[in-house]
Amino acid sequence: MQATLSPPVIRTKIPTYIYAVVFSSLCIVWGLLWDIMWHMSIGRDGLFAPPHLLMYIGAVVAGAFSGFKILQLTFAKRNPERTSSVRFWGIFYGSLGAMYCVWGALTMLTSAPFDDWWHNTYGLDVQILTPPHTVLLIGMMTVQFGAMIGVLALQNRVTNGLLSDSEWNKKQAQRLKIMFTIAAGLLLSILYTMLAEKLGQWASHHSSSYITIGIAFPFYLLAVGRASSLRYPITLTAAAYMLTMLIPSWILPFFPATPRLGPVLNPITHYQAFMFPLLLVIPGFVLDKLLHRFGSGKLNDWLLAALTGTVFMLVITVVQWYFGEFLHTSPYAQNGFFFSDSMSYGEDPTWPYHHQFHPHWLQSTPDFLKGIGIAILCAIGSARVGLLWGNWMKRVQR
């Protein structure tokens, strides 16, 4: 008796452009962190300074690969992927993620001459959110959101059975889920960097810092937690963000850097590290546990937002109060791991508040508790928006 042969198993690989946009997202984040440390250590830069080039590489890679994918779907009318793509301007076809990447890349490249003009006109930036940097950050976040959505659309198609087991093996599906958390962690890094001036260890005993945290982070973390198919997506996203932030600050201080712009109050000889990031991985783990217990329709989203927002703020307040104090005041934090001895060349090393809290950043107990109450209300509203956004992301398949 002749054996019946089963049909061959077709394994569809993750598209190359997905790897490319996640890689470009990493280049953008590390280019931005390098640029901040360049300004802290060297000061003067130009349009084609090395950190800028790394960011431009990220923009060009994301725009080129995503643009090629859009043109491929637009002109290859028999391409089977065209049926699962989005049509825009009545001409082009492409995935939603690819379109975001193209728009973000164009915005980033547009901001480059604007930033160069700004420096030539006004000199060195004294804050992160200058007008050209704001345009640049919008472009960066658009590229990174495109990378997230590009990965997410494939993940959702696998989860919802639109790509069968004969087309997608388990290893590829798991890799896709990991790539989503990496892409989400990279975007979280940009979000944190944008707000870093309000979140430093010097502000860890002031409620304004926690109000900013309550507004900015619950919506993003809960959206990722709801959209991802992993068991602990928020924890992994927070871990990816922390490593993304820490690696450049662990490595670059080994390289020499000389200030090129006065006044030089602190004559440094090597790159100065950026600040140690928030310990979001701890409340992130708690949020994952809460979603395991009360998510998936077990609790109304408003009640779930109230629970997760409140718990998130209580956990992050306790964690950052003590960890921020350690970073700011302990001699054990003044090293190449925690960066508390890092100072830009323009800072006076004799200033008495480098390693103790300035009176401006201290509050009475009633004022601090009042501020934390406001932060909890902000976190609840932020969490509700995040759950709503996560519901939308779970439906993205194009």
Side-chain angles (χ1 to χ4, degrees), residues 338-352:
F338 291 110
F339 325 134
S340 292
D341 56 351
S342 176
M343 284 186 285
S344 75
Y345 68 85
E347 292 185 75
D348 183 358
T350 64
W351 192 55

Side-chain angles (χ1 to χ4, degrees), residues 374-390:
I374 295 172
I376 289 174
L377 293 177
C378 292
I380 291 171
S382 178
R384 183 65 186 92
V385 175
L387 292 172
L388 190 65
W389 185 29

